[in-house]
Amino acid sequence: MKIGIICYPTYGGSGVIATELGKRLALRGHEVHFISYERPFKLDRFHENIYYHEVEVLDYPLFKFPPYMIALASKIVEVARWANLDLVHVHYAIPHAVSAILARLMIKDRGLPIMTTLHGTDITVVGHEPQFFDITRYSIEESDIVTAVSHSLKEETEQTFNISGPIEVIYNFIDPEEYRRVEVPGLKDRYACRNEKVLIHISNFRPVKRITDVLDIFARVSERVPSRLLMVGDGPEGSSAHRRTKELGLAGKVHFLGKQERVVELLSISDLCLVPSEKESFGLVALEAMACGVPVIASIAGGLKEIILNGETGFVFQPGEVVTMADKAVEILTNGELWSKMSGRARKHAVRNFHIDTIVDKYEYFYQEMARN
Ligand code: GMT
């Protein structure tokens, strides 16, 4: 099939999932056309069957706000006609689904089936805003197939927008060949001593990630267990994170590594992953950690409780329960037998239930359904 994939190209789960899905579809013989304003960062080399189309937005003095949504719609029309696309799969409703609907209106002579995958903040944060509410609802209703990355997100979407049409749940995935514990000689020594445990947090440092909770949990853990914390990523809460680290007297124990393209090596030297988010419709990082055999301490918010087996591959708590999160972290880190059991279970659970091939099969099934109708 000829499939257009529209996504955000930057760091973030939705872009990662869209790109990895496209790469796997291309390996399976589909022709995949990525449309975005920048090359998705995971699309870092030549791949057979993959095309990348850049949306350029005209910079004209009259435009205080560059009309990206319209430029994207025009690009979808151009690619759909030129490449004879069978369908487009948009990741993140705003504004991608709206642009796709506009594109479809413009080429009604040939039709253009649209699948929209909801990733979370498009519904739980942005779509909630009164100014975007109606258009988000419209874009969901007008899509031929709508998928959500967790049951929690599906339910929240149905309740928030009073949607009656079906929303299919298709979980995010990992490639177990890529996400597995690897040996990187000397890497742990750069950040920690032999006897120290390594905790890790990876995110875009937005308020929803509760970055200060990560530091507060770590402060309590490090009082009882010799340990270090790797903070991977950056974003609006970066400065408060640095401030909190200093306030807690943890400057020598917390390593801020900034945005990293590959996290497998860092996960491979980690003993525990912290995801205490306020909201998380899926929590791809938790899955990546589990696939690398790293147990997770997370909040019960959203989809995290669907992917972490509480007590088996990690523990989930209400957002903000830093004391109990720290206590459990200490328990896992000081009981070698428990850690090994959880680590092994985490890897098995990730591979068995979130394998890229199983999940891509599901998307392919719905692509075929759309093309048939
Ligand atoms: O977390 C973000 O703000 C980024 C956003 C994105 O576009 O990548 O993440 C959302 O989509 C990911 C991929 O499906 C999910 O793993 C994240 O849980 C979800 N973020 C939230 O729900 C806060």
Side-chain angles (χ1 to χ4, degrees):
M1 295 180 93
K2 295 177 176 183
I3 301 161
I5 293 187
I6 294 129
C7 64
Y8 284 109
T10 43
Y11 297 83
S14 65
V16 171
I17 288 296
T19 315
E20 294 301 335
L21 168 64
K23 279 155 70 174
R24 190 53 57 119
L25 289 166
L27 274 179
R28 291 184 177 192
H30 297 285
E31 191 177 295
V32 178
H33 294 260
F34 282 95
I35 308 176
S36 193
Y37 58 82
E38 248 171 40
R39 175 176 285 274
F41 83 99
K42 283 264 193 174
L43 211 58
D44 49 356
R45 60 182 180 82
F46 174 74
H47 296 270
E48 220 176 302
N49 286 339
I50 290 189
Y51 300 75
Y52 163 59
H53 308 270
E54 192 154 300
V55 181
E56 280 171 39
V57 186
L58 185 68
D59 187 14
Y60 185 66
L62 193 62
F63 297 155
K64 185 169 173 196
F65 305 103
Y68 181 67
M69 204 202 90
I70 298 174
L72 175 59
S74 305
K75 191 52 119 184
I76 297 172
V77 169
E78 182 191 316
V79 177
R81 285 204 172 117
W82 170 77
N84 201 17
L85 293 181
D86 293 303
L87 59 100
V88 288
H89 183 175
V90 307
H91 292 262
Y92 212 88
I94 300 171
H96 300 156
V98 186
S99 298
I101 291 161
L102 180 55
R104 185 177 61 190
L105 283 170
M106 290 165 69
I107 47 174
K108 49 179 177 298
D109 49 310
R110 67 182 299 285
L112 186 63
I114 299 169
M115 176 188 281
T116 295
T117 291
L118 307 173
H119 280 274
T121 42
D122 44 356
I123 296 303
T124 58
V125 181
V126 191
H128 258 166
E129 289 293 319
Q131 60 172 328
F132 292 131
F133 186 89
D134 285 336
I135 198 141
T136 304
R137 187 171 197 274
Y138 175 77
S139 68
I140 294 170
E141 285 188 336
E142 288 299 309
S143 299
D144 297 284
I145 292 195
V146 179
T147 74
V149 296
S150 64
H151 288 279
S152 147
L153 181 60
K154 168 187 158 85
E155 281 153 25
E156 189 163 351
T157 308
E158 284 166 348
Q159 281 159 16
T160 308
F161 296 99
N162 196 15
I163 301 277
S164 53
I167 297 178
E168 310 294 339
V169 173
I170 303 185
Y171 283 135
N172 288 335
F173 53 80
I174 40 93
D175 178 354
E177 294 300 315
E178 183 183 352
Y179 284 89
R180 65 194 161 86
R181 228 171 164 82
V182 291
E183 276 293 320
V184 193
L187 185 62
K188 181 175 171 187
D189 303 336
R190 290 179 64 157
Y191 303 109
C193 301
R194 287 273 150 88
N195 67 324
E196 287 178 318
K197 300 291 180 191
V198 177
L199 290 81
I200 189 166
H201 172 79
I202 307 170
S203 80
N204 52 22
F205 286 35
R206 297 213 182 111
V208 78
K209 306 293 175 183
R210 296 185 73 107
I211 300 289
T212 45
D213 282 8
V214 174
L215 296 161
D216 291 349
I217 295 166
F218 178 65
R220 288 168 182 276
V221 171
S222 72
E223 280 168 9
R224 289 181 275 167
V225 183
S227 49
R228 300 286 179 119
L229 172 65
L230 306 181
M231 293 289 281
V232 183
D234 206 353
E237 296 292 288
S239 340
S240 0
H242 285 115
R243 202 176 324 118
R244 189 81 187 131
T245 304
K246 273 199 189 144
E247 279 166 14
L248 292 165
L250 294 173
K253 291 184 175 179
V254 180
H255 303 276
F256 285 91
L257 302 180
K259 290 181 182 176
Q260 297 288 332
E261 288 198 4
R262 273 184 64 85
V263 291
V264 171
E265 288 78 4
L266 294 169
L267 285 169
S268 296
I269 57 163
S270 299
D271 300 291
L272 193 67
C273 179
L274 302 177
V275 192
S277 307
E278 184 70 39
K279 258 185 185 298
E280 203 69 69
S281 64
F282 186 85
L284 189 58
V285 162
L287 176 59
E288 292 172 346
M290 290 194 303
C292 294
V294 185
V296 184
I297 294 278
S299 64
I300 203 161
L304 283 167
K305 60 183 175 302
E306 294 173 48
I307 60 166
I308 297 167
L309 298 178
N310 195 21
E312 292 182 53
T313 69
F315 288 97
V316 288
F317 300 92
Q318 291 301 330
E321 285 190 347
V322 291
V323 176
T324 32
M325 286 185 188
D327 287 347
K328 269 296 174 210
V330 170
E331 194 181 319
I332 298 173
L333 294 171
T334 53
N335 180 340
E337 205 181 310
L338 175 65
W339 185 87
S340 299
K341 218 167 138 190
M342 288 193 123
S343 165
R345 188 81 178 87
R347 165 79 187 165
K348 262 196 201 133
H349 175 56
V351 176
R352 190 173 295 158
N353 298 296
F354 302 94
H355 194 296
I356 183 169
D357 282 326
T358 320
I359 305 293
V360 173
D361 283 349
K362 296 187 180 169
Y363 280 117
E364 262 187 318
Y365 168 81
F366 285 110
Y367 293 160
Q368 271 145 16
E369 285 286 291
M370 282 200 294
R372 247 197 300 275
N373 294 323

